[in-house]
Amino acid sequence: MAQTSSPLEKAKGYNAIANLYKYSDPNKMLEFGKKALSISEDNNLNIQTGNAYLNLGTANIILGDYKTAMDQFVWAKSIFEEVPETTQNREETKMGTAKAIGYMGVVFSEQSNYTKALECYLKAAKMYEDLQDMGQASKIFNNIGVAYKSQGATEKALEYFLKALEIQVELADVNKGITQTNIANIYFNQDRLEKAFQYYTAAKSSIDENPNPRALGEWYNNIGRYYSAQNYPDKTLDSWERAIKSFKSIGDKFGLADTYLLIAEFQKENNNATQAVATANTALQLASETNVLEQIAVAEKLLSDSYAQIGNTSKALQHYKAYSTARDSLYKRNDVRKAVEAAMNYEFEKKELLRKEENQKRELLLKEEAKSNTMKLLFGALIALLLFGIGFLIYNRQQLKKTLTLQKELAEYEQKALHLQMNPHFVFNCLGSISSFIVQNGTDSAIKYLSKFSKLMRLTLEYSKESLIPIDKEIESLQNYLELEQLRFNNKFNFSITKDPAIEDDVALPPLLIQPFIENSIIHGVVPKQEKGEISISFSVSETSLQCIIIDNGVGIEQSRKNKQNLVLAHKSMALGIIQKRLEMITEATQKQANISIEELAQNGEVTGTKVVLQLPLQYENG
């Protein structure tokens, strides 16, 4: 930088240089990002400070330091949102905020938190579309596709990849090669090899036009998988060797570890176990340096299998134990991390909302005060009387508005209070199940049960702050709960969950509303029955309501009541009473009917089970 440059010009220059190293040298990107940050903070250059944090966070994503990256993106978002908006900087600050949110989605995605990743991506995409920056919007569409693909929703992923590619082709975007590779991977996984090769070929041409070592390394890894599937071993290994060269050029240890794992697996499958051991050890060393447990677990499993193939049973056992340890650590880390993330997300969002409300109130008070002073100076005593009248009307209106707001909030809090009563009821039942299961089934089965229970608790923690959740999330929770109960009762029953295709993705319902009825079907319906039980749950929709029907082939309502009366210690269930109260609150809040009906099914005078029909107002996640 020239000595005559102003601090603003220097900060802009260093940020621009850092951004140029995005695809080639993350360490250089860090170096120039820190220089830009130092100058920007010393001179109160808020926008350049935010841009410096964006560059630092991007570099740390590439280097695998996700915690530091997330902290830097959160700082960037906060800085851009705090910059006083003017006509000159409005677009730049909104662009910075969109980038920060989009990059936060990348970090969540890298940590396998795809729900939060999609939430960030969709917010960022909307902001880019509002700014009419379709180039950035296409990158976000590509990331949304990656998130859907990671969740197994390949058709949804393909939809967003093609949407991104259409924009990128029109804009001649430098990242179109990445998107074409993603599309090719989906076709490859669908065994549509001709279509996959078509997109792999197009992707290579695009990457050659706009060099990107990381994208090139990923492309060579994927085309190697394609050649392996086509039984071209020489081309397969040549592709992966080129991937290693590309990843080494930017010090990408994560990419290198992936490549060595692919090679080791190929060598093992082709009876080159000795070579597979050496290659897997290289991958293990790289994965240990970056502390990527997923890669460590895969490497240890490869080493165990390869040593077993050689006949070295002691080494095979040693690495299998290491694999088991890494796998267990991965499960534990994911469970703890996601539970903590959910709690932190809730606190962060709550504080952010409070801060925004306080800023809005402060700005409103300042504007009103300035207006009042100006009017007093200009119009004097005569206008003061008019202002008094206006002030009185405003006061009455505000008081009325405040009263209505308090009434609405009271109704919402009553609804949430009833919802929160369900959580301990649900947890106590599950803990009782776990205790019983451990006693009956032993340690190994209990560990499997606890793993599923931790997932269910993580979902419950996520729902605890929401009054409505998407129907797919409710189905996921019910699926997990039913699998737990199947384990507990030794597959005493089968179950099915169906959803009408007419139900839109953003249809939502209150959480923990359906689970108690399914619990009753299991405990009081199918378990007392000698034969194997069947439980079906179906969701359908009409113009104004969402309907859930639960049918079991259990002993029926009357027999269930008799069974309860015969118990020495009767447990008084609170769930149905709480649910009835919640339904009354839903009816009051939505002005639409929410009700439930329970009937005993019979055929030829013989009881065949119980049917529960839950009718809810049609509500939407963002509605």
Side-chain angles (χ1 to χ4, degrees):
M1 295 289 161
Q3 295 297 320
T4 56
S5 298
S6 68
L8 177 59
E9 290 172 334
K10 286 183 179 179
K12 283 184 175 180
Y14 283 132
N15 272 326
I17 295 171
N19 194 55
L20 288 174
Y21 283 110
K22 181 187 296 185
Y23 300 117
S24 58
D25 192 336
N27 290 306
K28 283 286 187 183
M29 192 176 188
L30 274 180
E31 176 187 338
F32 285 100
K34 288 176 181 177
K35 288 181 179 181
L37 180 62
S38 178
I39 293 173
S40 301
E41 288 185 331
D42 289 345
N43 294 276
N44 296 318
L45 304 172
N46 292 335
I47 291 178
Q48 293 308 315
T49 300
N51 287 333
Y53 275 121
L54 289 178
N55 282 324
L56 293 172
T58 304
N60 279 308
I61 286 179
I62 298 171
L63 293 170
D65 189 350
Y66 300 123
K67 182 182 183 302
T68 302
M70 178 59 83
D71 289 342
Q72 288 161 340
F73 293 139
V74 170
W75 272 110
K77 176 177 178 287
S78 177
I79 289 167
F80 284 122
E81 289 180 340
E82 293 292 336
V83 173
E85 189 175 293
T86 65
T87 304
Q88 290 76 21
N89 70 17
R90 181 179 295 114
E91 185 170 333
E92 193 170 8
T93 55
K94 287 186 180 297
M95 180 67 71
T97 304
K99 285 183 179 179
I101 294 172
Y103 281 128
M104 287 165 69
V106 173
V107 176
F108 280 127
S109 183
E110 292 286 347
Q111 294 176 322
S112 302
N113 190 346
Y114 299 114
T115 301
K116 290 296 291 183
L118 284 169
E119 181 183 325
C120 291
Y121 288 151
L122 292 169
K123 284 182 181 177
K126 179 66 168 61
M127 294 179 74
Y128 284 131
E129 287 179 323
D130 290 343
L131 290 165
Q132 297 184 339
D133 189 336
M134 299 312 295
Q136 290 292 341
S138 69
K139 293 179 184 178
I140 297 296
F141 291 148
N142 188 65
N143 290 343
I144 293 172
V146 171
Y148 275 123
K149 180 186 175 187
S150 300
Q151 292 179 306
T154 54
E155 291 301 326
K156 199 78 172 175
L158 185 60
E159 174 190 336
Y160 276 95
F161 286 144
L162 292 171
K163 188 175 181 180
L165 182 60
E166 182 180 357
I167 298 170
Q168 290 170 342
V169 169
E170 183 179 346
L171 300 178
D173 191 281
V174 297
N175 294 299
K176 67 180 180 180
I178 298 173
T179 306
Q180 288 165 327
T181 302
N182 288 330
I183 294 170
N185 289 338
I186 287 185
Y187 285 131
F188 175 77
N189 293 332
Q190 294 176 340
D191 205 29
R192 299 165 66 181
L193 299 183
E194 184 177 345
K195 199 78 171 173
F197 188 72
Q198 173 188 337
Y199 275 94
Y200 280 134
T201 304
K204 183 60 165 60
S205 299
S206 299
I207 295 171
D208 287 344
E209 291 173 10
N210 303 283
N212 179 338
R214 193 180 196 203
L216 184 61
E218 294 290 346
W219 184 87
Y220 277 123
N221 272 347
N222 288 303
I223 197 67
R225 290 172 58 239
Y226 170 83
Y227 284 134
S228 178
Q230 293 287 66
N231 199 25
Y232 295 133
D234 292 339
K235 289 185 176 182
T236 300
L237 292 174
D238 179 66
S239 297
W240 289 337
E241 289 298 329
R242 291 173 185 267
I244 290 171
K245 182 179 179 182
S246 186
F247 286 131
K248 280 184 176 179
S249 70
I250 57 171
D252 188 343
K253 294 180 181 179
F254 180 89
L256 281 168
D258 264 353
T259 308
Y260 283 120
L261 289 173
L262 287 170
I263 295 173
E265 179 66 30
F266 180 84
Q267 291 168 337
K268 179 179 74 68
E269 290 179 355
N270 286 275
N271 298 316
N272 293 325
T274 303
Q275 292 180 1
V277 166
T279 308
N281 270 316
T282 302
L284 179 60
Q285 181 179 350
L286 289 164
S288 299
E289 290 174 9
T290 56
N291 196 30
V292 179
L293 277 176
E294 292 88 346
Q295 291 180 333
I296 292 173
V298 174
E300 292 288 6
K301 185 65 166 62
L302 273 170
L303 284 167
S304 175
D305 293 345
S306 299
Y307 276 119
Q309 198 176 83
I310 293 171
N312 191 336
T313 55
S314 62
K315 281 285 189 180
L317 179 60
Q318 174 188 335
H319 284 284
Y320 186 81
K321 289 179 178 179
Y323 157 69
S324 298
T325 301
R327 182 191 59 192
D328 292 343
S329 297
L330 182 62
Y331 290 155
K332 292 176 184 176
R333 188 189 70 179
N334 286 344
D335 289 342
V336 172
R337 184 194 69 209
K338 291 184 178 180
V340 172
E341 279 177 359
M344 289 178 65
N345 290 337
Y346 172 63
E347 288 299 322
F348 173 78
E349 290 166 3
K350 183 173 73 174
K351 290 177 181 177
E352 189 178 50
L353 179 61
L354 290 173
R355 178 178 57 79
K356 288 182 178 179
E357 288 178 349
E358 288 298 322
N359 287 342
Q360 290 173 353
K361 289 178 182 177
R362 185 169 60 250
E363 290 175 6
L364 181 61
L365 288 173
L366 289 172
K367 289 178 181 179
E368 289 296 326
E369 184 179 351
K371 179 181 177 181
S372 176
N373 289 335
T374 301
M375 294 296 286
K376 287 178 183 178
L377 290 172
L378 292 175
F379 300 105
L382 183 62
I383 304 302
L385 182 62
L386 179 61
L387 286 175
F388 176 78
I390 294 173
F392 182 76
L393 291 174
I394 292 174
Y395 173 78
N396 281 342
R397 184 177 179 183
Q398 287 178 336
Q399 288 298 108
L400 178 60
K401 183 178 180 181
K402 186 183 294 185
T403 301
L404 294 174
T405 301
L406 287 173
Q407 290 175 348
K408 181 181 178 182
E409 289 179 348
L410 178 61
E412 290 178 353
Y413 289 146
E414 287 180 351
Q415 170 71 7
K416 287 188 176 181
L418 290 168
H419 164 205
L420 291 172
Q421 288 181 54
M422 291 300 301
N423 281 339
H425 170 84
F426 174 63
V427 172
F428 293 153
N429 287 344
C430 285
L431 289 175
S433 300
I434 290 173
S435 175
S436 171
F437 194 84
I438 291 174
V439 170
Q440 296 173 9
N441 296 278
T443 304
D444 292 339
S445 298
I447 289 173
K448 183 177 179 182
Y449 190 90
L450 283 169
S451 176
K452 287 185 174 293
F453 175 68
S454 68
K455 179 180 178 182
L456 188 59
M457 287 301 95
R458 183 166 66 251
L459 292 172
T460 304
L461 179 59
E462 287 181 16
Y463 301 163
S464 65
K465 62 179 182 292
E466 303 290 346
S467 59
L468 291 172
I469 62 170
I471 189 170
D472 286 341
K473 286 295 179 184
E474 176 69 9
I475 290 173
E476 180 185 0
S477 178
L478 295 177
Q479 177 88 19
N480 202 63
Y481 171 75
L482 283 159
E483 289 173 357
L484 280 173
E485 295 296 72
Q486 274 187 326
L487 284 172
R488 176 187 171 194
F489 293 108
N490 295 319
N491 288 314
K492 175 69 176 176
F493 64 91
N494 294 323
F495 71 90
S496 65
I497 302 176
T498 58
K499 185 183 80 168
D500 189 334
I503 300 177
E504 299 177 3
D505 290 344
D506 57 349
V507 168
L509 70 163
L512 290 174
L513 196 62
I514 299 172
Q515 182 271 338
F517 297 109
I518 297 175
E519 181 181 1
N520 281 343
S521 292
I522 296 170
I523 302 299
H524 305 301
V526 299
V527 169
K529 187 175 181 178
Q530 292 183 354
E531 299 83 13
K532 191 160 189 173
E534 298 287 341
I535 298 175
S536 68
I537 303 106
S538 63
F539 294 89
S540 59
V541 67
S542 67
E543 291 183 359
T544 60
S545 65
L546 174 68
Q547 186 179 74
C548 175
I549 299 177
I550 303 164
I551 298 175
D552 67 64
N553 67 341
V555 298
I557 298 172
E558 290 301 321
Q559 184 60 44
S560 174
R561 287 174 180 167
K562 291 178 183 178
N563 292 343
K564 290 180 184 178
Q565 292 172 357
N566 293 332
L567 291 177
V568 176
L569 295 175
H571 166 64
K572 183 179 180 181
S573 174
M574 297 173 59
L576 291 179
I578 293 172
I579 288 173
Q580 189 61 47
K581 183 63 176 175
R582 290 180 71 188
L583 292 177
E584 291 173 6
M585 296 301 302
I586 291 169
T587 299
E588 184 177 343
T590 63
Q591 299 299 308
K592 298 176 182 178
Q593 192 63 35
N595 53 53
I596 184 171
S597 65
I598 303 174
E599 63 175 296
E600 188 174 77
L601 302 177
Q603 187 174 1
N604 299 325
E606 184 176 343
V607 175
T608 60
T610 305
K611 177 178 180 182
V612 178
V613 179
L614 187 62
Q615 199 85 17
L616 298 173
L618 194 57
Q619 299 180 81
Y620 297 88
E621 185 180 5
N622 298 316

